[in-house]
């Protein structure tokens, strides 16, 4: 049981141990968010010979499944908290199951054919997504229960994003490296799936201990109301949370559009490396350019948020990302290594785009607790995770639709093809102007976010 002061004392600082344990969870969330988004569509189109449109559909169906189950898991997590005093059970279950299904996702050989291969990948990835949601939904609920401090939440989530960005670098660079380490591409993908799945699962398992620390808090936020029984009532509970909390609607709308923007860039990175930079291995350097600056920038965004407020810092990061992404459009006419510079600027912004909204979500939850008397953090985070999933899923779908519309030629492992100029133009635009427009659009709902420091730290 933790000896830290209850979170209703807003000035209390979280212990380094709590911050480290919680941050380690992003080793799992970063890996799961990065590697499938980076290589799964490419694995389907360029290893199993699945058509680009079908590959995008597979990723989308798996993400739709997330949207269906996340609100249910959130409500069930609230019930588990009310019944046992901890959310740890679901988190541990997800951590143990994910490595198995993650490895199976990349274990399908090309010899099975594109149809059978696509079906097997879909089933394995659906199971992987379920395991991840069992961990992620209660994990995102914990900051609201760990502390009631406006600034401590920024600090907690800031360090989480440091680990998250390091995880993106680890999996973004290490995943393709593991793929190359195999004796052939088929073995390489299998090796990547096994090793990456184990690392993700270990990070998730360690972070599950944070749930026991949160269970020791005495804040009203941590004392969840009993979640409603029945599937219909559980979904209605999520919709009621959306309806009654204007700050939640504004923040979720912003984050959904930004997840779509970053998901589009993530899904297009491998294609940019292969067909614009003319090196499949260049995807490693794309991720170094993105994550290296983000590692350094995260503490800076924490400082900025303390001075000007989270919502203003969030808007600043969004504008910076928009400008950086839009500049990559010039690669249609002049491709080259200069792209890494634009990606690095986007990486500085990306650090803020990850840490600030996640630090604002606990504020929304505690504000709802104070004004409406409901302790349903899991319900909020179930809806939040579903929205994030929709954004990333549609990002991959947008890339797949662009590839299909511009005549991208799919292939199987070992076969060489030439892509039409229109397809390469589509790859560049899906990596630049499309995410820039989406990020710019996200500023509209952000303008309607009205919570400020004074609304959170009340006496």
């Amino acid at each position: 049981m933790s000896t830290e002061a209850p979170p209703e004392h807003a000035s209390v600082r979280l212990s380094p141990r709590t911050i480290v344990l919680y941050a380690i969870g992003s080793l799992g969330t970063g890996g799961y968010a990065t590697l499938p988004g980076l290589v799964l569509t490419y694995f389907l189109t360029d290893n199993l010979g699945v058509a680009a449109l079908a590959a995008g559909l597979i990723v989308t169906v798996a993400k739709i499944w997330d949207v269906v189950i996340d609100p249910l898991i959130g409500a069930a997590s609230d019930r588990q908290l009310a019944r046992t005093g901890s959310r740890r059970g679901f988190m541990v279950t997800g951590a143990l199951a994910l490595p198995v299904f993650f490895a199976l996702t990349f274990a399908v050989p090309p010899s099975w054919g594109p149809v059978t291969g696509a079906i097997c990948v879909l089933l394995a990835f659906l199971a992987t997504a379920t395991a991840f949601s069992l961990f992620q939904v209660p994990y995102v609920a914990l900051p609201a229960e760990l502390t009631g401090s406006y600034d401590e939440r920024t600090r907690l989530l800031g360090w989480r994003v440091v680990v998250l960005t390091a995880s993106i670098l680890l999996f973004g660079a290490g995943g393709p490296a593991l793929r190359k380490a195999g004796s052939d591409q088929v073995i390489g993908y299998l090796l990547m799936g096994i090793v990456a799945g184990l690392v993700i699962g270990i990070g998730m398992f360690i972070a599950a201990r944070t749930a026991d620390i949160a269970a020791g808090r005495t804040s009203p936020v941590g004392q969840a109301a009993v979640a409603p029984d029945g599937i219909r009532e559980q979904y209605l509970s999520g919709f009621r949370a959306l309806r009654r909390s204007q700050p939640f609607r504004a923040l979720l709308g912003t984050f959904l559009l930004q997840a779509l923007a970053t998901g589009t860039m993530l899904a297009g990175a491998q294609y940019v490396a292969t067909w614009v930079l003319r090196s499949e291995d260049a995807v490693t350097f794309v991720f170094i350019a993105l994550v290296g600056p983000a590692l350094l920038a995260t503490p800076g965004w924490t400082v900025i948020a303390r001075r000007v407020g989270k919502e203003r810092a969030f808007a600043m990061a969004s504008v910076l990302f928009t400008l950086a992404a839009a500049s990559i459009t010039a690669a249609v006419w002049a491709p080259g290594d200069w792209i890494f510079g634009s990606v690095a600027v986007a990486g500085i912004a990306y650090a803020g785009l990850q840490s600030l909204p996640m630090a604002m979500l606990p504020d929304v939850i505690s504000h709802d607790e104070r004004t409406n008397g409901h302790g349903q953090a899991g319900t909020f985070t179930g809806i939040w995770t579903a929205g994030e999933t929709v954004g990333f899923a549609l990002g991959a779908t947008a890339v797949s639709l662009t590839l299909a519309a511009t005549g991208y030629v799919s292939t199987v492992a070992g076969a060489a093809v030439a892509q039409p100029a229109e397809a390469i133009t589509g790859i560049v635009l899906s990596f630049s102007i499309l995410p820039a427009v989406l990020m710019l659009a996200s500023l509209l709902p952000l303008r309607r976010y009205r919570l400020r420091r004074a609304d959170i730290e009340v006496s």
Side-chain angles (χ1 to χ4, degrees), residues 135-223:
F135 170 83
Q136 180 72 355
V137 173
Y139 177 69
V140 176
L142 293 179
E145 297 162 0
L146 286 167
T147 177
S149 169
Y150 180 89
D151 287 327
E152 280 300 283
R153 287 169 178 168
T154 307
R155 177 170 166 252
L156 174 67
L157 274 301
W159 283 108
R160 178 201 166 190
V161 170
V162 169
V163 176
L164 177 67
T165 51
S167 176
I168 292 171
L169 177 59
L170 173 67
F171 286 95
L178 283 170
R179 181 181 60 189
K180 298 280 289 186
S183 56
D184 57 47
Q185 199 168 23
V186 176
I187 298 299
Y189 272 112
L190 177 59
L191 177 64
M192 180 193 73
I194 292 173
V195 174
L198 285 173
V199 174
I200 291 171
I202 290 171
M204 292 162 60
F205 186 79
I206 292 173
R209 297 184 63 186
T210 318
D212 292 332
I213 298 174
R217 299 297 187 257
T218 58
S219 167
V221 177
Q223 305 302 316

Side-chain angles (χ1 to χ4, degrees), residues 6 43 52 142 196 212 215 267 270 275 302 307 373 386 397 413 417 421 424 450 459:
F43 171 69
L142 293 179
D212 292 332
Q270 182 68 77
W275 299 108
T302 300
R307 293 182 177 178
T397 302
V417 298
I424 296 177
R450 303 188 181 99
S459 57

Side-chain angles (χ1 to χ4, degrees), residues 15-319:
S15 73
R17 175 177 177 270
T18 298
I19 292 174
V20 168
L21 286 175
Y22 187 76
I24 287 175
S26 283
L27 185 65
T29 58
Y32 175 81
T34 299
L35 206 51
L38 177 65
V39 302
L40 185 56
T41 303
Y42 191 77
F43 171 69
L44 288 162
T45 59
D46 287 54
N47 189 67
L48 300 183
V50 178
L53 192 60
L57 182 62
I58 288 171
V59 175
T60 301
V61 168
K63 297 302 184 179
I64 290 173
W65 173 245
D66 275 343
V67 174
V68 171
I69 64 173
D70 283 351
L72 300 180
I73 291 174
S77 178
D78 282 337
R79 287 201 306 275
Q80 184 181 68
L81 177 64
R83 186 177 67 253
T84 68
S86 175
R87 300 184 188 272
R88 189 170 185 267
F90 279 11
M91 297 173 71
V92 170
T93 301
L96 295 176
L98 185 139
V100 176
F101 296 119
F102 193 89
L104 290 176
T105 300
F106 294 98
V108 180
S111 60
W112 288 9
V115 175
T116 302
I119 293 172
C120 291
V121 169
L122 173 61
L123 294 176
F125 195 51
L126 283 174
T128 304
T130 302
F132 179 73
S133 290
L134 287 172
F135 170 83
Q136 180 72 355
V137 173
Y139 177 69
V140 176
L142 293 179
E145 297 162 0
L146 286 167
T147 177
S149 169
Y150 180 89
D151 287 327
E152 280 300 283
R153 287 169 178 168
T154 307
R155 177 170 166 252
L156 174 67
L157 274 301
W159 283 108
R160 178 201 166 190
V161 170
V162 169
V163 176
L164 177 67
T165 51
S167 176
I168 292 171
L169 177 59
L170 173 67
F171 286 95
L178 283 170
R179 181 181 60 189
K180 298 280 289 186
S183 56
D184 57 47
Q185 199 168 23
V186 176
I187 298 299
Y189 272 112
L190 177 59
L191 177 64
M192 180 193 73
I194 292 173
V195 174
L198 285 173
V199 174
I200 291 171
I202 290 171
M204 292 162 60
F205 186 79
I206 292 173
R209 297 184 63 186
T210 318
D212 292 332
I213 298 174
R217 299 297 187 257
T218 58
S219 167
V221 177
Q223 305 302 316
V226 177
D229 290 321
I231 292 177
R232 179 177 179 273
E233 190 58 30
Q234 288 168 14
Y235 280 119
L236 288 177
S237 177
F239 288 123
R240 282 193 290 268
L242 271 173
R243 185 172 62 249
R244 71 175 180 260
S245 177
Q246 188 277 333
F248 186 51
R249 293 196 303 273
L251 187 61
L252 180 63
T254 303
F255 195 67
L256 192 155
L257 286 169
Q258 294 195 356
L260 177 54
T262 54
T264 299
M265 288 193 78
L266 182 64
Q270 182 68 77
Y271 293 97
V272 169
T274 302
W275 299 108
V276 179
L277 298 174
R278 296 296 176 179
S279 170
E280 188 176 87
D281 296 336
V283 69
T284 298
F285 299 103
V286 171
F287 268 80
I288 291 174
L290 177 68
V291 176
L295 281 170
L296 300 175
T298 299
W301 287 114
T302 300
V303 172
I304 293 172
R306 284 178 180 269
R307 293 182 177 178
V308 305
K310 300 176 192 179
E311 69 289 340
R312 291 181 181 175
F314 191 21
M316 292 165 60
S318 302
V319 171

